[in-house]
Amino acid sequence: MTPYHVVWKGPVHKVSGLGRASKAYAQALKRQGVAVSIGASNHRKNGVQGKKVLIYHRIPSSIHWEKERREHDFIILNTVWETSRTPKGWLPHMNKFDAVFVPSRHNKKALRNSGVKVPIYVVPHGVNVREFHPNNKKMSLPGAEGKFTFVSVFGFQHRKNPEGLLRAYWEEFSSKDNVMLVIKTNGYAAHEDEKWIQQKIAQYKKRLGIRKDTAPVVIIGRQLSENRLKGLYTLGDVFVLPTRGEGVGLPFLEALASGVPVITTSWGGQMDFLTLSNSFFVPYQLRSPSSSMNRAISKKFSNLFAQKGQLWAEPDLSSLKKIMRKAYQNPGLCKQKGSQGRKDMLQLSWDRAGALMKHAIEEVIRSKK
C-alpha cells in the first residue's frame, strides 16, 4: 500500500453531536495505526513520507479548493445530510472531491439523488459502549422516582419535531398516569437559553388550547456534564424522538448502548441500526419540509431544509400516541428491547468505524493510481 497520512479538518473541539463524531472518527483512525494530524499537517517537516490525504468534515461549499489541492494529494469529504436531497449550493463542490464518506445508506441515497457522481463510501458512526452502558448511575431528578420516564435528547430545531413529541405526550397522558417526559435540548443562538425554550413550549401548549391536567414535562436547556448525560439515558424507560430526518442520530446509538429502547420515525439514517427488536417505529409520510414550517416552535434552518425538491418524514401523530401508550403499559417489553439494543450496539464500536474508514481511504488511493 502507498504510504499516506491524513490531515483531518472538522469540528473536533465542538460539544455538538457532529463535533463528538468528528473527534471520534479521527481518534479511531489513529487507533488503526494511521498517522493523523488535526487541522493542519506538519508531517513533512517531521520527515513522514507518503501521500497527504485531507478529510474535510465541514460544509463542502466552505472549502478553499486552490489552497487544499496545492497542499494535498487526495481530498475526501466526510459529510452527513438529513433530507432526501442536499442543498443545491453543495453539489458543484461535492463533485470536485476524490470521494465522499457518509455514515448511512440513507445519506448515500440522498447524495446520489442530488447528482453526486464521485465515489461514495458508507462509513458508519460508532458508539462508546464502555461510556454509555446500562449500569450508569441514573441522573437525579425531583419527581422522577418510581415514574415511567420518557427521555429525549435533541437540538431545539424544527427537523427534530418537538411539536409532534409534545403534542402527542400532552394529548395522550394526564397527571393520572404515572409518567414523566424529560427533554434535554439546546438552542442555536445566545438568547435561545433554557428559559427561552421553556417559554416557547408554554406558548405552544397555550396555542393548542390544551388546558387539561397534563402529565409533567421537564425541559433541560443547558449543557450537562458527561456523567449527567449518561445518567439521563439510564433514567429513561424508553427514548423517544419522532424526528423528521436524521443522517445518523447519535442519541439513538447512545440510548441503545445504555440499554434503553427507542421510539422513532422509521425513515432516516437511524434505520441502518434500529430494528423491531430494539425499537418501536412510528409510520410517516414524505412531505416537503416547507409544508410544516409555519407551525414551527423552534429553529427552522429553512435556507437549508426548504429548498425545492427536498423531502423529509412527517410522522403520524395518532400512531406516536398509541406507541407511547404501549411502551408505558409494557415496561417488560421496553426492558427486553433495551437489552437487545445493548447487545446490538456492542457490534458498533468506533474501532469498527476507524477500520472501515481506513479501508475506504486506501481504496480511494488505489483507485487513483
Side-chain angles (χ1 to χ4, degrees), residues 138-341:
K138 292 182 181 183
M139 190 174 99
S140 176
L141 199 65
E145 187 70 37
K147 277 191 164 67
F148 185 95
T149 304
F150 292 97
V151 165
S152 197
V153 177
F154 59 88
F156 198 60
Q157 60 164 299
H158 186 59
R159 175 172 60 81
K160 301 290 185 174
N161 196 14
E163 308 90 350
L165 171 58
L166 288 161
R167 183 170 186 169
Y169 179 78
W170 284 328
E171 289 182 356
E172 185 60 32
F173 298 103
S174 75
S175 59
K176 293 185 180 71
D177 295 300
N178 189 33
V179 67
M180 177 181 271
L181 170 62
V182 183
I183 293 174
K184 160 67 185 84
T185 188
N186 60 272
Y188 294 89
H191 72 279
E192 294 176 0
D193 57 9
E194 184 174 88
K195 190 177 179 185
W196 181 86
I197 292 168
Q198 288 169 341
Q199 284 173 341
K200 284 282 181 186
I201 288 171
Q203 287 164 4
Y204 176 57
K205 190 176 186 182
K206 193 175 178 183
R207 195 170 88 212
L208 290 174
I210 295 174
R211 293 187 179 84
K212 73 167 188 170
D213 193 13
T214 53
V217 179
V218 176
I219 308 296
I220 302 168
R222 60 194 180 277
Q223 200 175 317
L224 293 178
S225 68
E226 280 291 311
N227 278 343
R228 280 174 70 76
L229 179 62
K230 292 170 199 169
L232 174 60
Y233 285 115
T234 51
L235 177 68
D237 293 281
V238 67
F239 181 93
V240 57
L241 182 61
T243 179
R244 294 180 165 105
E246 298 292 327
V248 181
L250 199 55
F252 297 134
L253 290 162
E254 292 171 348
L256 290 177
S258 305
V260 180
V262 166
I263 297 173
T264 193
T265 321
S266 54
W267 186 85
Q270 70 272 22
M271 295 308 292
D272 279 6
F273 55 87
L274 297 185
T275 68
L276 287 169
S277 298
N278 61 32
S279 301
F280 302 87
F281 291 131
V282 182
Y284 65 90
Q285 289 189 321
L286 288 179
R287 293 266 187 264
S288 162
S290 57
S291 67
S292 59
M293 285 190 177
N294 62 337
R295 304 192 301 275
I297 64 169
S298 54
K299 198 91 163 186
K300 291 187 270 196
F301 294 106
S302 51
N303 59 318
L304 295 172
F305 294 125
Q307 294 185 9
K308 192 177 177 186
Q310 286 183 320
L311 297 170
W312 66 16
E314 204 58 56
D316 181 70
L317 204 66
S318 63
S319 297
L320 174 59
K321 290 195 278 192
K322 285 173 189 163
I323 291 166
M324 289 175 79
R325 174 64 66 178
K326 180 181 178 180
Y328 170 61
Q329 289 175 337
N330 294 276
L333 177 60
C334 291
K335 281 192 170 64
Q336 186 184 319
K337 284 179 182 273
S339 176
Q340 183 60 48

Side-chain angles (χ1 to χ4, degrees), residues 1-4 51 53 73-74 76 98-99 119 121 355-369:
M1 181 66 214
T2 307
Y4 68 94
K51 299 289 186 183
V53 180
D73 300 294
F74 300 92
I76 298 168
D98 295 301
Y121 296 84
L356 289 167
M357 184 170 275
K358 180 176 187 271
H359 180 74
I361 292 166
E362 293 172 3
E363 279 279 305
V364 174
I365 294 170
R366 271 194 292 270
S367 70
K368 293 284 180 177
K369 277 185 179 177

